[in-house]
Amino acid sequence: MQDIPHIPVLYREVLEVFCDIKSGIIIDCTMGYGGHSSMILEANPHIKLIAIDQDQSAIDFSTKRLEPYKDRVVIKKGRFSSVIKDILKEGDIREIKGILADIGVSSLQLDQKDRGFSFSSDNLDMRMDKEAAISAATVVNEYSTQELERILLEYGELRNYKKIASFIVNNRPFSSAKELSEATKHLMPTGKKIHPSTLLMQAIRIEVNNELGELESLLNTIEEAKFPNAKVAVISFHSLEDRIVKERFNRWRESCICPQEAMRCICGGNHSYGRVLTKKPITAKEDELRQNPRSRSAKMRVFETDSGNE
């Protein structure tokens, strides 16, 4: 019997989003420990599920966890942005009724200190795919001051990004996340409920895994595919990710795609992809926040495509 280490974030809300899907395929773009996948398969007994992850340890774990549903689940390795394209080539797009993407680092990766995601880790890695070329050590020890400033400002939204970048460059090399976290602690924001180095580590992790680029690519693929009658649910943990999802969903619902400066509509006004189901992002309830502190940053937005593309 496997030791199931956590309950996935917003698990009740995810099940509610997909509760009316009685047949077809749901794609879990970020399988991780298989928490969302197993719950969806249990709650929707007639659907099939395609689960994606780029982390072989996640695939090994979840293959065993999802064994009871093996006749209804297919697990694929790779970045979700590219695997989705392969899935579309292989099957009937009309069969796909739901897409779930839980963006960011998984609990499996956070729990394994040798992966370098933890503040107390003895190495400096942070790669979701262990075979990827760029690691956190590459970013911290080899990036120029200007490159570090860019990621600390854009991905960490750190006000004193110049001072932090300069400190890192002048004091490197760093060999572990623990060493980096301790050395830069005096430069980090104070007064927040999160670990002082959270924003620094977050910025490095996003750069290492191209997380924002992956999200943009996934949304591009969904937009280009024109899924008919499908629900798209994206869970994000970072304000930049949430902003990308919000803006894209709002754009998808617009019928007119003419430039704002246009005096009148010339596009035909028939470009709506569907409707936004969440006016505000869905967040964790109090009981979940108590049980799982990691859920405090989770925000889920949901979009439903229309049937006009069938």
Side-chain angles (χ1 to χ4, degrees):
M1 185 70 179
Q2 280 182 298
D3 178 21
I4 306 299
H6 85 307
I7 297 174
V9 297
L10 301 176
Y11 60 98
R12 290 169 300 202
E13 291 79 5
V14 167
L15 292 179
E16 186 175 348
V17 166
F18 299 118
C19 68
D20 59 347
I21 298 178
K22 305 303 179 184
S23 62
I25 297 169
I26 295 176
I27 301 175
D28 184 352
C29 296
T30 44
M31 175 180 62
Y33 275 130
H36 285 128
S37 289
S38 61
M39 289 181 172
I40 290 171
L41 286 162
E42 177 69 24
N44 304 64
H46 301 295
I47 64 100
K48 294 182 179 180
L49 185 135
I50 299 174
I52 304 169
D53 211 291
Q54 60 181 306
D55 189 330
Q56 187 59 48
S57 60
I59 292 174
D60 294 341
F61 183 96
S62 293
T63 297
K64 295 178 181 178
R65 182 173 188 178
L66 300 176
E67 176 71 16
Y69 313 100
K70 61 182 179 180
D71 295 335
R72 295 195 288 128
V73 63
V74 174
I75 296 174
K76 292 180 176 287
K77 182 180 181 182
R79 291 179 177 266
F80 52 72
S81 60
S82 58
V83 175
I84 284 277
K85 294 178 181 178
D86 294 336
I87 293 170
L88 295 178
K89 294 176 184 176
E90 296 168 359
D92 186 347
I93 190 174
R94 293 171 297 181
E95 286 294 305
I96 298 173
K97 300 300 181 184
I99 299 173
L100 171 67
D102 183 349
I103 304 300
V105 64
S106 72
S107 291
L108 182 151
Q109 292 154 342
L110 286 170
D111 291 340
Q112 295 177 335
K113 288 189 177 182
D114 64 325
R115 302 298 297 275
F117 290 98
S118 169
F119 303 114
S120 58
S121 176
D122 289 328
N123 65 8
L124 197 54
D125 195 328
M126 296 191 187
R127 290 174 296 175
M128 294 180 185
D129 179 355
K130 291 183 179 180
E131 298 177 1
I134 296 177
S135 69
T138 308
V139 174
V140 171
N141 295 323
E142 299 181 20
Y143 271 31
S144 68
T145 303
Q146 290 73 27
E147 289 174 315
L148 286 172
E149 287 176 354
R150 173 183 61 81
I151 69 169
L152 294 176
L153 175 61
E154 292 183 12
Y155 303 155
E157 298 179 299
L158 288 157
R159 293 182 179 180
N160 59 337
Y161 64 96
K162 287 182 177 291
K163 184 178 292 186
I164 298 170
S166 177
F167 179 86
I168 290 173
V169 170
N170 291 330
N171 290 275
R172 63 193 189 187
F174 293 92
S175 61
S176 71
K178 182 178 181 179
E179 181 187 7
L180 178 64
S181 175
E182 287 297 318
T184 58
K185 189 161 57 177
H186 67 287
L187 296 170
M188 295 299 113
T190 58
K192 295 187 177 182
K193 294 182 179 179
I194 58 176
H195 189 285
S197 296
T198 295
L199 299 179
L200 169 63
M201 296 300 187
Q202 172 184 273
I204 297 169
R205 193 199 75 224
I206 290 173
E207 174 70 12
V208 168
N209 298 288
N210 187 29
E211 292 177 30
L212 300 186
E214 278 290 292
L215 174 58
E216 291 274 16
S217 183
L218 173 66
L219 295 172
N220 287 341
T221 299
I222 294 172
E223 181 175 328
E224 292 163 5
K226 297 298 182 184
F227 291 94
N229 290 321
K231 287 183 177 179
V232 180
V234 181
I235 301 173
S236 63
F237 295 82
H238 187 288
S239 59
L240 294 177
E241 296 166 344
D242 182 58
R243 193 179 309 149
I244 289 171
V245 177
K246 177 183 178 181
E247 290 176 355
R248 187 65 69 98
F249 282 7
N250 285 338
R251 193 172 83 195
W252 284 354
R253 72 180 178 182
E254 296 296 330
S255 292
C256 176
I257 58 173
C258 293
Q260 289 185 342
E261 60 270 18
M263 298 295 290
R264 60 185 178 84
C265 177
I266 58 173
C267 71
N270 188 31
H271 296 277
S272 175
Y273 193 9
R275 61 195 180 103
V276 178
L277 299 184
T278 47
K279 291 184 179 180
K280 293 183 179 181
I282 297 171
T283 56
K285 294 181 173 62
E286 285 297 324
D287 62 332
E288 182 177 356
L289 291 171
R290 288 193 298 269
Q291 295 171 6
N292 182 11
R294 291 175 184 169
S295 68
R296 65 178 177 267
S297 302
K299 294 181 179 180
M300 179 168 66
R301 295 184 185 270
V302 186
F303 189 90
E304 184 175 41
T305 68
D306 61 30
S307 59
N309 302 297
E310 289 188 285

